[in-house]
Each structure stands twice: as C-alpha cells, then as structure tokens.
Amino acid sequence: MVATRRAQMVEETRARLIRAARAAFATQGYAAASMDELTAEAGLTRGALYHHFGDKTGLMQAVVAQIDAEMATRLAEVRDRAPDAWQGLLDESVAYIEMALEPEIRRIMLLDGPAVLGDPSRWPSQNACLRTTTQTIQGLMDQGIVQRLDAEATARLLNGAALSAALWIAAAEDPPAVLAKSIQVFRNLATGLLRPAEGAG
Amino acid sequence: MVATRRAQMVEETRARLIRAARAAFATQGYAAASMDELTAEAGLTRGALYHHFGDKTGLMQAVVAQIDAEMATRLAEVRDRAPDAWQGLLDESVAYIEMALEPEIRRIMLLDGPAVLGDPSRWPSQNACLRTTTQTIQGLMDQGIVQRLDAEATARLLNGAALSAALWIAAAEDPPAVLAKSIQVFRNLATGLLRPAEGAG
DNA sequence: ACAATTGACATACGCCGCGTATGTCGCCAG
DNA sequence: CTGGCGACATACGCGGCGTATGTCAATTGT
C-alpha cells in the first residue's frame, strides 16, 4: 500500500492545520486569527490551507467537527458511567456545563461558531451530539419515567439551559459557587419532565 | 435653548447611523457589513461613525443596547397583561421565543452579538432585560409559588432554554409546529420550579 | 460684535488580511 | 521514460478597518 502512505501525509497536514487553527481560534477568536500566522505555526502556508479547506469557514467547520466529536465521546462516557438512564441524563448535562467552561470550547463552539457557521441546529456534527441525548430522553419516555413530549424538543431545551448556565459560570467572579447554583436549578427544571407520581397538576 | 438644538442634531445623526447599522448587520451579518456602505446609506461617511462610536464594535454595542431596550419594553408589556405573576413568567418566555424568530434579533442579538461583544452575561443592557425576569421569579419565590432557589440562576436557565428553542424554531422547516412542541416542553420544565403540593419526591 | 476654540463631521492614507491565480516539485500511470 | 495530476508555495489584487488630517459651523468669552 504505497498510496496509503500518500494519504497519510495529507491527513497529517490537515491535522496540523486543524491543530494550529484550534489554538488560534481559541485564543484570539475566529475573526482576529490570521491565516498567515496559523499556517506558519503549522509549518505551512495559506496555499495548503486553501487547498484542503477551501476557505476560512471551511477550516472553522473542520475544527468545529473535531471538537464536537470529542465532546460527544466524552459525554457518552459520562452517561455510560451512571447507574440509570435518568441519572445519566443529569450527569451528562452537568458534564456539558463543565465542558463549556473550557476556553477552547466556549470560544469556538459557543461564541464564534454560531456567528460563522450559522445556527448550531444546522451543524451536522452538533446533531450527532444532540441525537444521543435525544435518544436517551426517548428511552426515558418509553420507560415511563419521563412524560411523553417531543424528545428532540426536550433535548434541545435542556441543552439550551445547560449552555446558558455554562456561559454565565464562565463569566462569573466565583465560578464554583455559580456552578453549584446552576446545577441546583437545572435539577429542578429537569424534574418538571418526570411523570407525576399521581393526581398532581 | 440653542444648545439643545445642537444636541438634537447629534442625536439625529447617531440615530441614523444606528438605524442603518441595524439594517446592515441584520441582513448581511456583522462581519460582512461594510462601514462605508452603511454610513453612505445613512447619508454620512465613516468619519461620523468613528467620531461618535469609536470603532465598529462601539456601533455594534449601541445597536445591541437599542434592540435590547426594545425587547425589554415589549416583554414587560406582555408580562403586565397576564392575570398573575406565574402566568406572566410563562407568557414572557413564550414572547421571548417568538421575538427570537425575528431575523434582526436573531442575527444581531443571538448570533453575532456574543461573538463580537463576548458573553451576553457581560452586556449591561442584557442585565436590564434579565433583571426584570429575575425579580419576577424572586417575587414568585417570596409568594411561595416557586421553590426557593437562586433567582438569577433560575432566570438565566429559563432564558437559555427559551433561546435554544428560538434558534431551533428559526431553522426549522415547519416553525409553527416546532414552536408548539417547544412551548409544551418549556411549560413542563418550568413546572419543575413550582413548589410541590406536598409529600412529593 | 468679533476672535478663539471646540466639536462634528469629511477626506486621504496606510496597513493588513482574505481569496485567487499562477508556479513548482514530486509521485504514479502507461 | 514521459506525461499528467495532486500537494503545496508564491505573487497579486481588492476591499475594509482604523487613523491622521483638514474644514466648517457653532459657541463662548470679552
């Protein structure tokens, strides 16, 4: 397989560019990041970048996809460690909030991403992360633990609440305290999804 | 009052620039909007813009502040029309979701705003809108209708859920249907905040 | 009433950054 | 061994932001 050797070189180049772009986008922001600088950081020039990714947004898309895949993996691990599905949902949400505190994720995925690539709903990658949550919720509904609602809508609103909490925490003076408050509220919100024991409402 | 006359001219100029900027930012996005074009649209040049707003982000800040003030007013009206505070909170949230469907608000406040000005938590204007919601919730807690939690955290998470719903709806093929689903889920989430009748959990 | 000053803009310039067009070099096919 | 293709580097143009400079009207002090 000599052709594979060639393809590996290409993958290596793409990986180097994406790595440099992640660092540049995370620290300077998408708009302020210079493609000359980040390609030089990767030991290449803008020629390689445009050859592989088309334009700056193409590079951003690749970066977003990579980070999103990592997030999905990490969230799945958290979910699988939980004793039951409901607890898994809660743990996963808390983990999501905590991940959103990481500067790279916050800046690229939460701040610049929507402005550059449009609504996250449209990102194919985001759907991967969200779809698993949706399935978890669907499972809880099928088990009769959670009320029958639209599973995707439920996943999205829970996700939005967690996201908002994360942004708030990241900007707070005392992040741990704000994190604790947020988790408390999040748990209560989620409780509203549970099927009432009986005769409630 | 001759000095007032002068000040009025200035206000008129600022208003014209902000109006043109709102249109340009809403239709083309912040990054793609050219300051030459939007100032020309206002019958002025970039000189006036830099004189009054310092730089492009200064103009964005002014635009965001204006829109946010309008949103706060509209939300207050909705809240005041409700028969009680709890219903007011729900109505206000639904109104927020619906407002986020307007292209101008969506593009400027939800997509570009965070990327340009940083976390919305930091915007002084956003706090105005959020503070009233926080007070509404605090009142509900004092009345014993809502569980005692951190009022600001509650307001922020509810807001985040609504925001997420709005972005989703705006990108959906069938917005009305998705809107209905979202409101349904939102109501359930909010119910989790209510004080349990008794002996629950 | 008049000169000096300040403020509200317009004009002109430089710099940077993106995108593209063009060139070069190595690898594989025939 | 040679022709073509893919993976880059290099060179160029265009547009946009920010700033420095200029101009004119309005205001103030006397």
Side-chain angles (χ1 to χ4, degrees):
Chain A
M1 277 209 199
V2 186
T4 303
R5 176 123 199 111
R6 185 89 180 153
Q8 271 185 355
M9 297 290 292
V10 170
E11 272 317 301
E12 166 67 16
T13 298
R14 288 177 56 96
R16 288 230 308 270
L17 287 172
I18 291 177
R19 197 179 319 147
R22 280 178 70 149
F25 291 167
T27 56
Q28 316 174 19
Y30 174 84
S34 161
M35 303 178 69
D36 279 322
E37 284 180 16
L38 75 87
T39 51
E41 195 73 24
L44 296 162
T45 67
R46 276 195 0 261
L49 202 156
Y50 281 95
H51 181 71
H52 287 292
F53 299 101
D55 63 352
K56 197 178 182 181
T57 68
L59 179 61
M60 180 64 159
Q61 240 174 326
V63 167
V64 163
Q66 187 180 81
I67 296 179
D68 194 273
E70 294 173 7
M71 290 175 67
T73 302
R74 290 170 60 185
L75 288 179
E77 287 173 7
V78 168
R79 197 186 324 119
D80 293 345
R81 270 201 296 273
D84 59 70
W86 174 250
Q87 189 60 40
L89 180 64
L90 292 179
D91 290 352
E92 176 186 352
S93 299
V94 172
Y96 181 82
I97 295 177
E98 287 170 345
M99 282 200 314
L101 299 182
E102 299 168 23
E104 188 182 48
I105 291 177
R106 211 165 57 84
R107 178 85 224 197
I108 296 178
M109 303 298 282
L110 310 183
L111 294 181
D112 285 341
V116 176
L117 304 178
D119 302 283
S121 319
R122 295 291 192 185
W123 307 352
S125 49
Q126 175 85 359
N127 290 356
C129 173
L130 202 63
R131 190 174 299 275
T132 61
T133 303
T134 304
Q135 286 174 351
T136 303
I137 291 173
Q138 187 65 59
L140 287 165
M141 288 179 184
D142 293 342
Q143 292 175 43
I145 298 172
V146 163
Q147 293 186 55
R148 284 226 165 272
L149 296 163
D150 187 82
E152 186 180 0
T154 308
R156 284 186 184 274
L157 293 220
L158 276 180
N159 196 66
L163 169 60
S164 168
L167 286 176
W168 180 36
I169 295 164
E173 295 89 9
D174 185 3
V178 176
L179 172 62
K181 290 184 204 170
S182 297
I183 292 177
Q184 186 76 11
V185 172
F186 187 90
R187 285 182 164 279
N188 277 273
L189 284 176
T191 305
L193 299 173
L194 288 173
R195 238 171 95 184
E198 64 251 56
Chain B
M1 276 208 199
V2 186
T4 303
R5 177 121 200 114
R6 183 90 181 151
Q8 269 184 356
M9 297 290 293
V10 170
E11 272 317 300
E12 166 67 16
T13 297
R14 288 176 56 96
R16 289 229 308 271
L17 286 172
I18 291 177
R19 197 179 321 148
R22 279 179 70 150
F25 291 167
T27 56
Q28 317 174 20
Y30 174 83
S34 161
M35 303 180 68
D36 278 321
E37 285 180 16
L38 74 88
T39 51
E41 195 74 22
L44 296 162
T45 67
R46 276 193 3 258
L49 202 156
Y50 281 95
H51 181 71
H52 287 292
F53 299 101
D55 63 353
K56 198 179 182 181
T57 68
L59 179 60
M60 180 65 160
Q61 239 173 328
V63 167
V64 162
Q66 188 181 80
I67 297 179
D68 194 274
E70 293 173 8
M71 290 175 67
T73 301
R74 291 170 60 184
L75 289 179
E77 287 172 6
V78 169
R79 198 187 322 120
D80 292 346
R81 269 202 296 274
D84 59 68
W86 175 249
Q87 190 60 40
L89 180 63
L90 292 179
D91 289 353
E92 177 186 351
S93 299
V94 171
Y96 182 82
I97 295 177
E98 288 169 345
M99 284 199 314
L101 299 182
E102 299 168 24
E104 189 183 46
I105 290 177
R106 211 164 57 83
R107 178 84 224 196
I108 296 178
M109 304 296 283
L110 310 183
L111 294 181
D112 285 342
V116 177
L117 304 178
D119 301 283
S121 318
R122 295 291 193 185
W123 307 352
S125 49
Q126 175 85 358
N127 290 356
C129 173
L130 202 65
R131 189 173 300 275
T132 61
T133 303
T134 304
Q135 286 173 353
T136 303
I137 291 173
Q138 187 64 58
L140 287 165
M141 288 179 184
D142 293 342
Q143 291 175 43
I145 297 173
V146 162
Q147 293 186 56
R148 284 227 164 271
L149 297 163
D150 187 81
E152 185 180 0
T154 308
R156 283 186 185 275
L157 293 220
L158 277 181
N159 195 66
L163 170 60
S164 169
L167 286 176
W168 181 36
I169 295 165
E173 295 89 10
D174 184 3
V178 176
L179 173 61
K181 290 184 204 169
S182 297
I183 292 177
Q184 186 76 13
V185 172
F186 187 89
R187 286 181 164 279
N188 277 274
L189 283 176
T191 305
L193 298 173
L194 287 173
R195 240 172 94 185
E198 63 251 57

